[in-house]
Amino acid sequence: GTPVTTACPEMRGWAWTGGTYALTIVLHMVIPPPGGTTSLGYACDNSRQPLLYRNNGLRVAVVVVVLVLAAVQAGMVSAADLARCYWPAARCGFFLGLFSSLLLFLRGKRHLRTGLVDRGSSCLTTAGPRTAASSSSKEFEARSPLEHFYCGYEWNPRVLAVDVKMVNYLLGAVMLCLVVLSALAQHLELEKSPSYAMLAFVVPMLWFVGEYLWFEDVHVFTYDIFRERTGFKMCWGCLFFYPFFYPIGIWPLIRTGQEEHQEDDISAAAAGGCLAVYFMGWLLTRGANLQKHDWRMRPLKSAENRPFYLLGFVPIHQRTVAGCPRLLCSGFWGMSRHINYLGEILQGLSLALPGFLATGIPIPLYYVLLFVGRQLDDDKACAEKYGKHWADYCSLVPYRIVPFVW
């Protein structure tokens, strides 16, 4: 047959995206989860039973990358082929995201008619009964059909026992990893070794994918799972926006180098500065999420006096709002109410810096718009959930995202 690399770029791009997504879904279904058993999540189904998750994303991603490398070694495809077919691959992701969103919208409408859609403002969780405000359907009922298409009808839909929301995240992560690796391969066709600018982008981006998949069990306890429904925003975002917009900063770096294009490269010190900003942001985001996760996983009666150890050795004493043992107000959560969002913004800024003049501006701007809006919605959800205790927390921790600023 005709080798893949001799087919037209449009066909190759669609084959890359469609093939990667299909392979990832199959591997997710057949590769056993860590420990051989599924894990309990924070969200519950309509019968108030905790949802079960496979959490095998890291294993799936490693297998996909190994299979692609094997195909490269066998001469079946060029390592830089996906980078050369970036726009056709992105188009495939765009239309797959749109198509899956439409299917979920139609499924949601059908389930709505049969009473299977939870209309509350937050989904059922293992935290116990919802407050009257969290159970209210007012927000849901006020949405137009277009808003329901964008946000989705269902919280955590499942198809053939596959959690659509978590698989969407996995698909985006695997595709993002392949795009970045392929762009690096294209860069190395021009240079003998990676430029400082390329390293300053590739290292944190691959770390971003790898550590998300490593902490997949923590992610099932986050805002995305219990506060956001599954619709166009989720499907199109994960199948197109996540894997094809996030690496936008890598393209102006393809021709940066230490030899022929040395003048386009950044210095080793500048690359180190970019990495420092990234890992500072990562520490804020991951540290805050792990502190909260550590607290959630403990029996409340025995938790107060035992510290959380950041990175395994830095003790952070856990303290909560008086009368509300679920609201942390110490450590990361004593710095600002959404310190993890500041970390995400810093990570976005660091990824923009190596190629800032060409494509850097949209990345941190996107993060700011995303997390400022999310902070407002999260504060609203927490006020509904915790009542006066949330007001007490806001008095103790007055800053929304940036300590001492806002």
Side-chain angles (χ1 to χ4, degrees), residues 218 287-299 303 306-309 316 318 328:
V218 177
N289 286 338
L290 287 178
Q291 183 190 355
K292 183 185 289 186
H293 185 68
D294 176 77
W295 184 255
R296 279 189 176 135
M297 294 295 100
R298 299 185 190 185
R306 183 161 65 88
F308 159 69
Y309 286 92
I316 296 178
Q318 305 280 52
L328 283 170

Side-chain angles (χ1 to χ4, degrees), residues 283-284 286-292 294-295 298 303-319 328-335 339:
L283 189 65
L284 291 175
R286 183 53 66 195
N289 286 338
L290 287 178
Q291 183 190 355
K292 183 185 289 186
D294 176 77
W295 184 255
R298 299 185 190 185
E304 189 78 24
N305 295 322
R306 183 161 65 88
F308 159 69
Y309 286 92
L310 177 65
L311 303 178
F313 65 90
V314 181
I316 296 178
H317 292 281
Q318 305 280 52
R319 185 165 56 87
L328 283 170
C329 60
S330 63
F332 290 100
W333 301 101
M335 299 167 66
I339 193 70

Side-chain angles (χ1 to χ4, degrees), residues 80-123:
D81 190 56
L82 176 56
R84 294 192 177 94
C85 303
Y86 171 79
W87 288 111
R91 277 192 287 275
C92 180
F94 180 98
F95 286 110
L96 288 177
L98 188 62
F99 181 66
S100 60
S101 302
L102 180 60
L103 290 180
L104 278 179
F105 176 73
L106 296 175
R107 168 190 152 123
K109 288 194 70 172
R110 186 175 71 253
H111 285 184
L112 184 66
R113 289 194 296 268
T114 55
L116 296 177
V117 172
D118 174 11
R119 304 183 185 210
S121 60
S122 294
C123 80

Side-chain angles (χ1 to χ4, degrees), residues 152-173:
Y153 280 109
E154 300 177 90
W155 290 112
N156 296 284
R158 301 206 160 193
V159 177
L160 299 177
V162 172
D163 186 274
V164 174
K165 187 176 285 184
M166 292 303 293
V167 164
N168 271 339
Y169 283 124
L170 177 58
L171 294 173

